[in-house]
Amino acid sequence: MPEGNRTPTIDRLARLATRKVLSEEGRDTYLDSLLLSTDSVLRRWPAPMGRPLNVAIVEGEPATYTPRMAGYLREAMRLWEDANLELTFVPVTDTLEADIVVHWIARFPIDRTGQTDLTWDQYGRVQRAIITLAIADGRGTRLPGSALLSVAIHEV
């Protein structure tokens, strides 16, 4: 095996088989494209977590931000906690101690209303998440509360 390629052949074959099954059976979801773009590495929080996820909510920006937007995020986290997944969120004020940092922007320059950027280790275990939520769609149309909540639920 070449020195630069440290993935054993059996692991590469298993990833290929998994990717093939998900591509065939997951045509109605985005799992197939997700796996293709990440070389079949699923990113996830370490399981079991054994502790709550610390969440820092950065409020006040952009100029069109209102405090109710943080309320939609808190509601999204409550809904996830109520799903009986042994998942809990704890608010923190220091972004450096946060597992998840959430902030808002006026809008994305593309057709998107939310984005989550992850940092993970070599095994795909998420170390940190940065969630960016838009207040308006890509055309600049302000999102109604129901859409803000839906995007927050999805990104969380």
Side-chain angles (χ1 to χ4, degrees):
M1 178 182 312
E3 189 173 316
N5 188 353
R6 301 192 189 284
T7 305
T9 302
I10 191 74
D11 289 347
R12 283 183 284 154
L13 291 173
R15 284 182 185 178
L16 181 62
T18 300
R19 188 180 312 154
K20 183 175 189 249
V21 168
L22 286 171
S23 293
E24 291 170 357
E25 294 181 8
R27 288 190 181 103
D28 294 330
T29 70
Y30 57 86
L31 280 177
D32 56 343
S33 60
L34 175 71
L35 290 173
L36 288 172
S37 68
T38 62
D39 191 28
S40 302
V41 176
L42 292 175
R43 277 113 177 112
R44 72 234 176 264
W45 292 101
M49 280 293 291
R51 66 172 182 81
L53 291 169
N54 293 330
V55 181
I57 301 173
V58 181
E59 297 189 69
E61 289 291 329
T64 53
Y65 174 85
T66 63
R68 71 184 173 92
M69 293 168 185
Y72 294 123
L73 177 71
R74 289 184 188 96
E75 175 67 9
M77 291 186 297
R78 186 194 63 75
L79 289 167
W80 275 108
E81 287 177 333
D82 290 350
N84 295 322
L85 300 172
E86 298 182 21
L87 179 63
T88 55
F89 301 97
V90 172
V92 296
T93 55
D94 185 353
T95 58
L96 294 177
E97 70 179 67
D99 300 302
I100 302 171
V101 177
V102 183
H103 66 100
W104 285 262
I105 61 172
R107 67 182 222 187
F108 286 93
I110 59 174
D111 189 21
R112 172 176 292 174
T113 53
Q115 178 172 311
T116 301
D117 296 301
L118 302 175
T119 304
W120 60 89
D121 67 13
Q122 65 195 28
Y123 303 107
R125 292 180 299 220
V126 174
Q127 304 295 305
R128 186 175 175 110
I130 307 294
I131 297 176
T132 305
L133 300 171
I135 295 171
D137 66 18
R139 295 179 309 274
T141 303
R142 194 170 176 116
L143 297 171
S146 59
L148 293 169
L149 176 59
S150 293
V151 173
I153 291 168
H154 173 80
E155 295 303 331
V156 170

